[in-house]
Amino acid sequence: PQGAASPRSDIRDCAANPPYLPPTATETTVRLAALRGAMQTHGVDAYVVPATDAHMSEYISERDARLGWLSGFTGSAGTAVVTLHKAALWTDSRYWTQAERQMDCNWELQKTTWIESIGLWILEAVPAGGNISLDPFLFSIDTWSSYSEALHGSGRTLLPMEINLVDQVWTDQRPPPASSKIYSLPAEFTGSTWQEKVTGIRQQMEQHVRSPTAVLLSGLEETAWLFNLRGDDIPYNPVFYSYTLLTSTSIRLFVDGTRLTAEAQQSLQEGCPGPLCVELQEYGQVREQVRAYAQGNVTIWLGTEYTTYGLYGVIPQEKLLEDSYSPVMTAKAVKNAKEQELLRAAHVRDAVAVIQYLLWLEKMVPQGLVDEFSGARHVDALRQAQEHSRGPSFESISASG
């Protein structure tokens, strides 16, 4: 390493003249100008862009990486706010160095994640009478409420806007929707049939003191687990874009039905017509159908952690039964004997791969022939060679130093 006085060349220096940007930084001037143009058209003074998708997923697909496209910052957690003259990103300490490497000087980095801090920055940047807008389908109920509280009584308006302005300016550069197949999990890998799971959830509905008439599922793993289906719409996560509205007599699955394998289609429609028949509906129809269902004499049970404000907002307050997690999320968390046996067997196969990797490292490291990246590729290959492997659950962190 050079003398301690030398500035780091891998992070931006916006105080220099001209400002210094490392080769890893993304030029965002044109993107921000386009977004500001759209904001002016819609009378928006500040636009909030989160790092999640419409299902509150921790990991997202390329198509949903709006924050990454707009700011250059690709970490898994963060919030951006763009006004007509400023742009700022809030993220936690895991990502400060990464943000300084990836963002250009259009952006200021805020080293906190508190919504109060975002609110204070907005109050300073946007004069009274201004509109602060966000896409209600990208914010959970609780996060929406926090923004509402932060701006309450400030003379500024929180404006839900269903046209996503980032998508509007991203145009045809935006990656296409997922198109790979959605498949059934073979029976030997499931603890129960999907019909048994649905029956169990319906029993919980009947036994509940408030007798909900429906359960609404927004979390992607909830629908995947309930129907024993899998997909690969998000890297490292075996899920697919979907919602489910389960009532005591009907089951509506909102999904791109053309992507289901013939076997998956057949499995869902074995019980048709009848209460164990899955009706396939267009993914984009969920809001209208929930709104229509909520007109009746109904009570809809949902988990607030995974439901967006956009979907929640169409259900009258008195027809809601809210828990942090839906009954499907809590049922999924309890593994039966068969699932426990499958988990243990998977860990044994994984342990074999890890032991093979450690032996390989002992041989290779002294020869100076391995680094973290080649190590990660090797351990991935060893895992892939094990029976039933469907790929790693996150990008391998193979070694250090």
Side-chain angles (χ1 to χ4, degrees):
Q2 291 160 1
S6 90
R8 288 179 57 174
S9 61
D10 66 337
I11 64 172
R12 63 186 184 158
D13 181 1
C14 297
N17 189 11
Y20 169 74
L21 293 179
T24 46
T26 299
E27 168 58 61
T28 64
T29 306
V30 175
R31 295 171 188 185
L32 283 168
L35 178 62
R36 286 174 173 139
M39 285 163 62
Q40 281 175 306
T41 304
H42 291 278
V44 170
D45 300 289
Y47 194 63
V48 187
V49 182
T52 186
D53 64 12
H55 303 272
M56 303 293 101
S57 308
E58 181 183 0
Y59 298 97
I60 55 171
S61 69
E62 286 290 302
R63 183 174 171 79
D64 283 314
R66 297 171 179 90
L67 180 70
W69 177 78
L70 184 66
S71 67
F73 169 71
T74 59
S76 69
T79 303
V81 180
V82 177
T83 69
L84 297 175
H85 306 289
K86 295 169 84 172
L89 172 91
W90 283 257
T91 189
D92 64 72
S93 56
R94 293 174 298 169
Y95 290 123
W96 294 344
T97 304
Q98 181 176 336
E100 296 285 10
R101 285 174 176 165
Q102 293 184 317
M103 296 196 304
D104 65 11
C105 292
N106 286 308
W107 292 86
E108 50 186 79
L109 174 62
Q110 299 286 334
K111 298 183 171 182
T112 160
T113 54
W114 291 332
I115 290 173
E116 295 80 16
S117 131
I118 301 176
L120 287 170
W121 186 93
I122 290 172
L123 294 182
E124 213 167 280
V126 176
N131 287 327
I132 291 90
S133 188
L134 33 85
D135 178 342
F137 285 94
L138 294 179
F139 289 84
S140 71
I141 300 161
D142 290 348
T143 307
W144 180 277
S145 306
S146 303
Y147 277 97
S148 213
E149 263 164 54
L151 299 170
H152 183 71
S154 69
R156 292 154 186 85
T157 308
L158 189 60
L159 194 69
M161 189 187 301
E162 292 179 23
I163 302 164
N164 187 295
L165 297 185
V166 175
D167 295 353
Q168 202 176 48
V169 299
W170 202 350
T171 63
D172 55 356
Q173 292 178 304
R174 188 179 177 207
S179 57
S180 55
K181 285 294 182 194
I182 299 166
Y183 56 94
S184 288
L185 210 53
E188 63 267 28
F189 293 110
T190 61
S192 335
T193 65
W194 71 258
Q195 290 91 339
E196 288 165 344
K197 292 176 181 180
V198 164
T199 304
I201 299 302
R202 282 176 169 159
Q203 278 167 352
Q204 285 196 51
M205 288 160 66
E206 274 170 40
Q207 289 158 7
H208 197 287
V209 57
R210 284 199 49 204
S211 315
T213 59
V215 173
L216 175 62
L217 305 178
S218 294
L220 297 182
E221 60 223 54
E222 300 182 284
T223 289
W225 177 85
L226 186 64
F227 297 113
N228 292 331
L229 294 175
R230 297 291 184 268
D232 56 9
D233 293 6
I234 297 177
Y236 307 111
N237 292 262
V239 294
F240 51 91
Y241 290 105
S242 56
Y243 295 94
T244 300
L245 184 65
L246 171 66
T247 77
S248 39
T249 54
S250 69
I251 309 165
R252 282 181 241 179
L253 171 58
F254 297 88
V255 69
D256 177 355
T258 62
R259 297 176 51 207
L260 291 161
T261 63
E263 190 189 14
Q265 290 241 20
Q266 194 188 340
S267 137
L268 296 175
Q269 288 165 343
E270 277 165 7
C272 296
L276 284 172
C277 167
V278 180
E279 303 164 41
L280 297 178
Q281 306 281 355
E282 275 305 309
Y283 172 77
Q285 286 290 305
V286 65
R287 187 166 188 240
E288 285 321 306
Q289 295 221 14
V290 168
R291 188 204 293 277
Y293 178 77
Q295 303 294 303
N297 179 20
V298 298
T299 302
I300 301 174
W301 194 0
L302 54 78
T304 56
E305 288 283 324
Y306 290 89
T307 308
T308 63
Y309 182 77
L311 207 44
Y312 170 85
V314 303
I315 307 166
Q317 201 62 44
E318 68 279 5
K319 296 181 180 181
L320 272 166
L321 167 56
E322 297 175 47
D323 277 321
S324 292
Y325 299 101
S326 80
V328 170
M329 206 53 113
T330 49
K332 182 175 85 67
V334 181
K335 306 300 179 194
N336 64 28
K338 169 95 181 282
E339 288 166 323
Q340 291 180 37
E341 184 192 313
L342 289 164
L343 274 170
R344 291 192 187 99
H347 276 286
V348 169
R349 292 193 297 275
D350 190 63
V352 171
V354 172
I355 290 165
Q356 290 171 329
Y357 177 56
L358 294 174
L359 285 169
W360 180 81
L361 277 182
E362 279 179 18
K363 208 161 51 196
M364 303 301 277
V365 170
Q367 299 174 41
L369 295 175
V370 62
D371 58 28
E372 288 174 58
F373 183 65
S374 63
R377 289 178 62 173
H378 189 69
V379 75
D380 285 350
L382 293 170
R383 287 185 160 125
Q384 196 64 52
Q386 288 295 322
E387 201 183 0
H388 310 309
S389 167
R390 306 282 318 196
S393 61
F394 55 87
E395 198 172 349
S396 288
I397 301 167
S398 70
S400 170

